[in-house]
Amino acid sequence: MALRVGVVGGGQLARMMIAPAVELGIELRVLAEEDGMSASLAATAVGDYRDAETVLAFARDVDVVTFDHEHVPQAVLTALVDAGVAVHPGPHALRFAQDKLVMRARLQELGMPQPDWAAVTDAEQLQAFLDEHGGRAVVKTPRGGYDGKGVRVVSAGTEADDWFATLAEDAHGGALLVEELVDFSRELAQQVARRPSGAVRAYPVVETVQREGVCAEVIAPAPHSGGRLQEVAARIGITIAEGLDVTGMLAVELFETTDERLLVNELAMRPHNSGHWSQDGAVTSQFEQHLRAVLDLPLGDPSPLSEWAVMVNILGGPAEGSLDERFDAAMTDHPAAKIHTYGKAPRPGRKVGHVNVVGDDLDDVAYEARAAASFFVD
Ligand code: ADP
């Protein structure tokens, strides 16, 4: 009988696991939040991932449970483990991706390079951190942030009072994470796949370009990332995957500083936007790799298929209608562009698809990817 993988969450990451699952003969099941989501082609159940009964019922017929996002509560995750369900990544690993304060403390124990940071519970403590770090810093809500929401640059201790007020009752007693404002020259991402039985494979480190807190483009591999940078980034990724017992795909977002150090920004324990290039640019895509890893199957080769791959996100989409109406023009002008759509309604700033282009000349590849993606956005 085919192996069965259950994915909690019906977004685009679950959607993009469907094709490799079909190729490998794996049965993919999805617990979607509602009807008509990105992964509805494989959505076998619709229900609330915060409800243990719902998730337990979904998990009954699969060999392993994995995730499209990191929001499943710890209580639900531990209920699955207690019921004997294989969960990858497990709750003990996922909590480091769910809470940035817990992550910072653990990465410090592992000796990983990261920005100076502190947990602060009021304006006075925040001001003290600011005074020690040049008067500006980055404040983050420990939980629930994404795409730059829950991240704020401040220059006075009182500028996070609204967040202190709303978080007063949470697990950290209202603590916020504050970090030094890193003077980075660029942002990078390192992906690693790890099997429950221990084997790891590292993808090449990539450069990620963010606009308004949202990933806009990815270049793989990161330009000017000769052997040494690749090695250091891969070592950081593997150390974290092993140290936190991550299973499946791990993405480590990194800052490269102006004095050429790498600092860990944050972690994602699932396929990640920084790895979409691998669908068309690597021997094994991150989506196939995630399925292999969570099933504890031998990992595939993460090597690039050509010199360069560029991924450009389609953000927002057309002002009216759907992406499909723009296919003809984009495909006619850019036959080498691989267009991926998420079946989501266009909305300003929303990730609704992406374009991958691969080739040997970075300027040509980047031009093709940007030009093809531009057809879909007004
Ligand atoms: P999210 O969870 O919303 O993705 P991140 O922690 O990744 O939040 O922060 C979003 C963006 O904010 C980062 O990609 C980076 O551009 C900027 N940023 C975050 N932390 C820092 C920092 N300590 N110094 C400078 N910029 C930062």
Side-chain angles (χ1 to χ4, degrees):
M1 198 170 65
L3 292 167
R4 292 158 307 179
V5 175
V7 185
V8 178
Q12 64 258 26
L13 301 178
R15 176 189 181 95
M16 290 186 273
M17 291 179 210
I18 298 172
V22 170
E23 289 166 7
L24 291 172
I26 291 167
E27 200 179 311
L28 196 77
R29 300 191 179 185
V30 173
L31 175 63
E33 292 82 339
E34 54 191 34
D35 285 325
M37 290 194 64
S38 278
S40 57
L41 291 168
T44 44
V46 171
D48 186 353
Y49 61 79
R50 292 163 300 191
D51 178 61
E53 289 305 314
T54 302
V55 183
L56 276 165
F58 170 72
R60 203 161 295 139
D61 298 323
V62 299
D63 296 295
V64 59
V65 167
T66 189
F67 310 95
D68 166 86
H69 58 71
E70 286 130 354
H71 308 314
V72 180
Q74 281 288 321
V76 173
L77 297 169
T78 44
L80 288 174
V81 172
D82 291 347
V85 177
V87 179
H88 293 295
H92 59 287
L94 261 175
R95 66 194 195 93
F96 299 110
Q98 291 179 323
D99 190 312
K100 291 175 180 173
L101 276 172
V102 176
M103 172 195 76
R104 285 278 176 243
R106 182 72 182 114
L107 292 184
Q108 189 156 310
E109 282 173 9
L110 286 175
M112 291 291 97
Q114 49 180 355
D116 274 351
W117 66 280
V120 289
T121 51
D122 58 35
E124 208 169 302
Q125 290 180 3
L126 178 53
Q127 187 60 52
F129 187 91
L130 283 165
D131 293 343
E132 284 164 25
H133 293 85
R136 291 178 81 206
V138 181
V139 178
K140 301 183 179 185
T141 53
R143 308 177 68 91
Y146 66 96
D147 285 350
K149 296 173 182 66
V151 174
R152 188 184 285 173
V153 177
V154 301
S155 48
T158 50
E159 283 176 42
D161 282 350
D162 53 332
W163 283 352
F164 284 127
T166 47
L167 290 181
E169 305 296 323
D170 82 348
H172 302 296
L176 293 172
L177 170 63
V178 58
E179 297 176 358
E180 69 174 295
L181 182 65
V182 177
D183 184 16
F184 59 81
S185 47
R186 55 178 180 168
E187 294 187 65
L188 305 172
Q190 174 65 52
Q191 288 193 298
V192 171
R194 183 167 175 270
R195 290 174 68 167
S197 54
V200 289
R201 297 299 294 260
Y203 281 79
V205 70
V206 301
E207 178 173 345
T208 66
V209 180
Q210 336 286 324
R211 292 198 193 104
E212 285 154 37
V214 181
C215 174
E217 277 184 34
V218 172
I219 304 170
H224 314 295
S225 58
R228 187 73 193 122
L229 178 62
Q230 290 289 341
E231 246 172 62
V232 173
R235 180 46 45 209
I236 290 173
I238 290 169
T239 304
I240 294 174
E242 290 177 341
L244 273 48
D245 192 25
V246 180
T247 43
M249 287 298 303
L250 166 71
V252 182
E253 296 180 12
L254 298 159
F255 298 126
E256 186 178 39
T257 63
T258 43
D259 56 354
E260 295 190 350
R261 287 178 309 139
L262 295 183
L263 303 175
V264 177
N265 176 28
E266 67 164 346
L267 310 177
M269 295 180 192
R270 50 174 168 74
H272 187 251
N273 202 164
S274 64
H276 291 356
W277 68 274
S278 65
Q279 290 173 303
D280 303 297
V283 178
T284 310
S285 82
Q286 61 163 344
F287 299 101
E288 174 176 346
Q289 196 77 297
H290 188 70
L291 294 172
R292 289 178 180 232
V294 299
L295 283 164
D296 207 12
L297 295 171
L299 298 176
D301 182 354
S303 304
L305 288 166
S306 61
E307 206 97 343
W308 298 105
V310 171
M311 189 269 345
V312 175
N313 273 336
I314 302 173
L315 292 170
E320 278 175 32
S322 68
L323 295 193
D324 315 2
E325 293 157 15
R326 307 291 178 97
F327 276 162
D328 208 290
M331 288 171 168
T332 304
D333 282 12
H334 301 283
K338 306 296 283 187
I339 299 164
H340 299 260
T341 62
Y342 307 158
K344 286 158 69 172
R347 215 188 287 146
R350 194 177 200 202
K351 291 176 184 168
V352 292
H354 66 270
V355 173
N356 287 333
V357 177
V358 301
D360 292 336
D361 183 279
L362 178 55
D363 287 341
D364 287 348
V365 169
Y367 174 81
E368 282 290 311
R370 288 171 196 152
S374 73
F375 276 89
F376 296 95
V377 182
D378 292 325

